[in-house]
Amino acid sequence: MHAKDILIDGYDRIREDVHAVLDGLGPDELHHRPAPDANSVAWLVWHLTRVQDDHIAGAFDLDQVWLSQGWEKRFGLDLPRQDTGYGHSSAKVAKVRVDSAGLLSGYYDAVHEQTLGVLRSLAAKDLERVVDERWDPPVTLGVRLVSVLSDDLQHVGQAAYLKGLVQSAAA
């Protein structure tokens, strides 16, 4: 098995988990916050998708799906165009509101397709390419791809836990 196949499998798992988390959730459940400063399922899925979109586009010199495919307009959030949710205050978390889970899953699927496209084209030597020199040591493509994978899996796990809390409280 090649490294790119392992990465594709990992990113496919994120997609499966995103869809599982969003399945059956209405607006109230999507926006429920178990504490005043907690994140919602909607924010967690939006954020993990924005980070993947931003980081994959940056690493491969591509346009972000958020902007190039009009998702920013479809969401209509009162946030800066390039915002990914990093470092959001409680007030900014509250601004991430959607009418349906379908909007979130649609955006995720579009980002996932762009991600798969670049992963399929990878050669092993590509993973050594430096994509971010702001860090010491500089970040390689391989490290960036695993970092996004890890971050996304953590956030989708948080969203799954929150979905369980919301559904058990309603039962």
Side-chain angles (χ1 to χ4, degrees):
M1 182 178 254
H2 297 281
K4 74 177 180 181
D5 297 321
I6 294 168
L7 290 165
I8 289 168
D9 182 72
Y11 280 89
D12 280 344
R13 290 174 191 227
I14 297 167
R15 182 184 181 279
E16 291 170 11
D17 290 344
V18 164
H19 279 266
V21 162
L22 295 175
D23 186 44
L25 293 184
D28 289 342
E29 293 116 344
L30 287 168
H31 302 113
H32 175 79
R33 296 169 74 184
D37 291 331
N39 298 322
S40 65
V41 169
W43 185 89
L44 288 162
V45 172
W46 172 82
H47 168 65
L48 75 85
T49 308
R50 286 295 298 125
V51 168
Q52 183 175 331
D53 192 7
D54 175 75
H55 286 34
I56 296 296
F60 290 92
D61 197 28
L62 300 169
D63 291 332
Q64 289 184 30
V65 170
W66 180 248
L67 300 172
S68 68
Q69 294 183 18
W71 290 99
E72 177 233 353
K73 288 183 176 74
R74 288 182 229 180
F75 274 74
L77 303 178
D78 183 25
L79 295 168
R81 294 184 66 201
Q82 298 286 347
D83 201 334
T84 63
Y86 181 76
H88 264 189
S89 65
S90 182
K92 284 190 176 180
V93 168
K95 289 183 175 191
V96 177
R97 299 193 63 82
V98 297
D99 293 334
S100 73
L103 185 64
L104 289 162
S105 64
Y107 174 45
Y108 185 82
D109 287 348
V111 170
H112 183 67
E113 283 307 310
Q114 179 159 286
T115 300
L116 288 184
V118 296
L119 292 178
R120 288 183 185 122
S121 70
L122 282 180
K125 66 179 175 24
D126 296 332
L127 297 173
E128 299 170 19
R129 178 173 57 88
V130 172
V131 296
D132 192 343
E133 294 183 354
R134 296 174 295 172
W135 301 92
D136 186 20
V139 177
T140 63
L141 178 60
V143 168
R144 177 59 46 87
L145 291 170
V146 170
S147 174
V148 172
L149 180 69
S150 172
D151 188 65
D152 280 4
L153 286 171
Q154 290 179 61
H155 286 314
V156 78
Q158 292 166 347
Y161 179 78
L162 183 52
K163 177 182 182 178
L165 286 177
V166 170
Q167 289 179 331
S168 67

